[in-house]
Amino acid sequence: MMKKLLLFFVFISLIFINFTSCSKKQSPQELEDKVNQLMGLESAKELPIQEAEAVSIPSTKELIEEHKKKSSNKNEDNSKIDLDLTKMSATMIYTTVFDMLIMPEEYQNKNIKVSGFFYVFVNELTDEKYFAVIIPDATQCCQQGIEFIWIGDHNYPQDYPEIGQEIEITGRYQITENEEGVTYTYLKVSDLKAL
């Protein structure tokens, strides 16, 4: 994590150096030398390189089992909608979904209603299926997605809509953490209907 943070600051430093040196165009070598100087390195060859790490995402089955354990202890009122994204403009929906991904703790356990297009993503290593509602922005060029888990006994593909079909879902926004400490969010859906 520290190495990623260091590389982020290097990137920001490069951008800052590039914008603050408007009076004189600098060569790529001069920029590299300045970054190395900022980091206290002789050359970029000393920059630590981080190996790619595999991030484990909880499987749908694990999350459903976790939900069953928790829901047996408390009753949730799913009739009250805390955030209805279906009544917002496309730009506001896109912005709100982005905000949910950046600051998930602000939305945790809120009952959220959203519409979009149904998609299934498959982890090729484990063959695990992940379900999502995809929400395009107003120009239809960019998309945000929210993974969801439909609680109850539902089998894919029999009980689910067709891929790409417009759906409306309602569920509680959940945050969980895997063994590596990576935060993972999803919508625990109690109601799903095809539009």
Side-chain angles (χ1 to χ4, degrees):
M1 184 66 177
M2 199 63 184
K3 291 179 185 177
K4 287 181 183 177
L5 191 58
L6 179 65
L7 290 174
F8 173 74
F9 284 122
V10 169
F11 177 72
I12 295 300
S13 298
L14 276 172
I15 292 172
F16 178 75
I17 290 168
N18 194 29
F19 285 114
T20 57
S21 61
C22 292
S23 60
K24 174 185 130 185
K25 185 77 174 164
Q26 294 179 333
S27 71
Q29 182 60 48
E30 289 173 318
L31 287 174
E32 182 181 332
D33 291 343
K34 279 193 176 184
V35 170
N36 291 337
Q37 183 183 12
L38 287 171
M39 294 182 62
L41 301 173
E42 294 291 322
S43 70
K45 293 176 185 165
E46 293 181 29
L47 191 64
I49 297 174
Q50 182 177 353
E51 293 181 20
E53 299 174 10
V55 176
S56 64
I57 298 173
S59 72
T60 304
K61 291 173 190 166
E62 291 170 339
L63 291 171
I64 289 173
E65 287 303 315
E66 181 182 317
H67 162 70
K68 285 179 182 176
K69 289 176 189 172
K70 287 181 181 178
S71 64
S72 63
N73 297 334
K74 62 179 180 179
N75 291 328
E76 293 177 345
D77 178 18
N78 289 325
S79 61
K80 179 184 171 257
I81 306 294
D82 298 309
L83 181 60
D84 190 346
L85 298 177
T86 64
K87 295 184 178 182
M88 295 180 180
S89 70
T91 303
M92 278 305 299
I93 294 168
Y94 188 80
T95 304
T96 304
V97 171
F98 183 76
D99 194 47
M100 289 167 64
L101 299 173
I102 299 299
M103 296 185 297
E105 56 283 341
E106 299 283 323
Y107 298 91
Q108 186 171 11
N109 290 320
K110 287 192 176 183
N111 203 26
I112 298 172
K113 185 177 185 181
V114 63
S115 62
F117 299 96
F118 174 71
Y119 278 93
V120 179
F121 300 93
V122 180
N123 180 336
E124 294 180 7
L125 298 174
T126 63
D127 205 36
E128 181 73 31
K129 292 173 184 62
Y130 299 93
F131 307 104
V133 59
I134 305 296
I135 304 115
D137 71 351
T139 62
Q140 301 285 319
C141 71
C142 301
Q143 301 174 348
Q144 290 283 1
I146 302 175
E147 183 184 349
F148 70 87
I149 295 173
W150 192 10
I151 55 176
D153 294 325
H154 307 285
N155 296 312
Y156 181 78
Q158 301 89 334
D159 301 326
Y160 286 80
E162 294 289 321
I163 292 175
Q165 185 173 3
E166 192 170 1
I167 61 170
E168 182 179 273
I169 58 176
T170 304
R172 297 218 171 259
Y173 196 66
Q174 302 295 302
I175 303 173
T176 190
E177 199 173 281
N178 66 8
E179 298 93 25
E180 292 88 20
V182 176
T183 302
Y184 178 76
T185 61
Y186 64 96
L187 205 57
K188 185 172 63 174
V189 171
S190 56
D191 183 41
L192 182 151
K193 62 181 172 184
L195 299 177

